[in-house]
């Protein structure tokens, strides 16, 4: 078995969430792949599609922007935590023309990146493909949403396309901590992967 973790905006595969997943699943002999996702959406999705084809993960766990990409990676069980399905709109109002610092260490050593019109246009193009397979993928997709998430609220989009069978609220904010991962995310990971204990 294998798990792929897709990080959120301005983050990296070295994030605390990735580390927690790795440490927790290590004792079950399950490796966690957590790459640095390319900043450009036009590069990120093909990169992730190739990674999925090569690695054949049994589960994808994705947060925020990473959950947008994960929604488009069909045919695999996916946990979307605080998904941000509206990156183009968010960046238009919150980031356009600004340098954004990475919150976690990137393998290539990059410290920051620029949000420009090209990036927003690429997100707009990607977002056109969202939910096209939702009817046939309902059993494979779970949505977890923090009740105090002040950054993003895509609950209506998720419920509209996936219903409420796999919709779950949790007490928490946009960014995850170890307590939330332990109490909310890991039990679902264990359930999907049929891990005992």
């Amino acid at each position: 078995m294998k798990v792929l973790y897709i990080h959120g905006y301005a983050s990296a595969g070295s994030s605390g969430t990735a580390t927690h997943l790795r440490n927790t699943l290590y004792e079950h002999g399950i490796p966690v792949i957590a790459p640095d996702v390319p900043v450009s959406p036009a590069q990120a999705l093909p990169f992730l599609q190739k990674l999925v084809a090569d690695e054949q993960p049994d589960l994808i766990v994705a947060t925020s922007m990473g959950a947008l990409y994960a929604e488009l990676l069909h045919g695999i069980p996916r946990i979307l935590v605080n998904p941000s399905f509206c990156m183009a709109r968010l960046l238009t109002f919150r980031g356009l023309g600004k340098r954004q610092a990475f919150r976690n260490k990137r393998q290539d050593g990059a410290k920051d990146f620029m949000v420009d019109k090209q990036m927003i246009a690429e997100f707009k193009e990607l977002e056109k493909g969202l939910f096209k397979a939702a009817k046939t993928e309902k059993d494979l997709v779970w949505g977890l949403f923090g009740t105090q998430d002040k950054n993003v609220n895509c609950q209506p989009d998720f419920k509209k396309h996936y219903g409420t069978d796999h919709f779950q609220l949790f007490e928490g904010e946009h960014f995850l901590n170890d307590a939330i991962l332990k109490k909310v995310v890991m039990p679902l990971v264990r359930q999907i992967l049929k891990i005992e204990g």
Side-chain angles (χ1 to χ4, degrees):
M1 276 196 288
K2 205 181 289 182
V3 171
L4 169 62
Y5 171 68
I6 307 175
H7 65 73
Y9 177 71
S11 190
S14 63
S15 73
T17 300
T19 301
H20 184 97
L21 286 169
R22 275 197 189 101
N23 291 344
T24 307
L25 291 172
Y26 177 78
E27 63 191 67
H28 300 286
I30 299 172
V32 174
I33 307 155
D36 290 353
V37 177
V39 171
S40 158
Q43 293 172 16
L45 187 60
F47 167 82
L48 290 167
Q49 287 168 328
K50 183 178 187 314
L51 188 66
V52 166
D54 291 346
E55 296 288 345
Q56 299 283 305
D58 300 276
L59 172 65
I60 297 173
V61 179
T63 51
S64 192
M65 174 198 73
L68 179 154
Y69 292 127
E71 200 283 334
L72 296 163
L73 298 170
H74 307 142
I76 303 163
R78 296 160 341 262
I79 300 173
L80 313 182
V81 187
N82 291 328
S84 182
F85 298 133
C86 52
M87 287 300 299
R89 183 163 44 87
L90 283 174
L91 291 180
T92 298
F93 293 106
R94 293 188 201 169
L96 182 58
K98 294 180 186 169
R99 280 220 159 272
Q100 302 283 331
F102 286 110
R103 285 189 298 275
N104 300 101
K105 188 175 181 182
R106 303 273 292 190
Q107 285 187 344
D108 63 4
K111 304 287 185 207
D112 59 21
F113 62 98
M114 177 65 80
V115 177
D116 56 17
K117 288 182 179 177
Q118 175 69 29
M119 178 184 284
I120 290 169
E122 289 177 11
F123 270 119
K124 269 186 187 166
E125 192 56 36
L126 269 193
E127 288 165 20
K128 289 178 187 173
L130 285 169
F131 312 119
K132 292 203 170 160
K135 279 186 182 174
T136 55
E137 297 264 310
K138 279 186 180 179
D139 291 342
L140 293 175
V141 179
W142 286 259
L144 305 180
F145 296 86
T147 54
Q148 281 95 48
D149 188 345
K150 304 273 194 303
N151 291 33
V152 181
N153 181 5
C154 293
Q155 293 179 34
D157 294 318
F158 186 90
K159 286 197 243 184
K160 177 182 175 184
H161 297 284
Y162 286 102
T164 56
D165 287 352
H166 286 178
F167 172 88
Q168 181 182 338
L169 293 174
F170 64 88
E171 287 295 318
E173 301 178 6
H174 187 72
F175 297 104
L176 302 180
N177 58 39
D178 284 354
I180 298 290
L181 285 161
K182 191 174 180 181
K183 185 179 175 184
V184 180
V185 179
M186 287 314 302
L188 184 54
V189 169
R190 287 191 180 91
Q191 177 193 320
I192 294 167
L193 295 178
K194 298 180 171 60
I195 298 170
E196 298 295 325

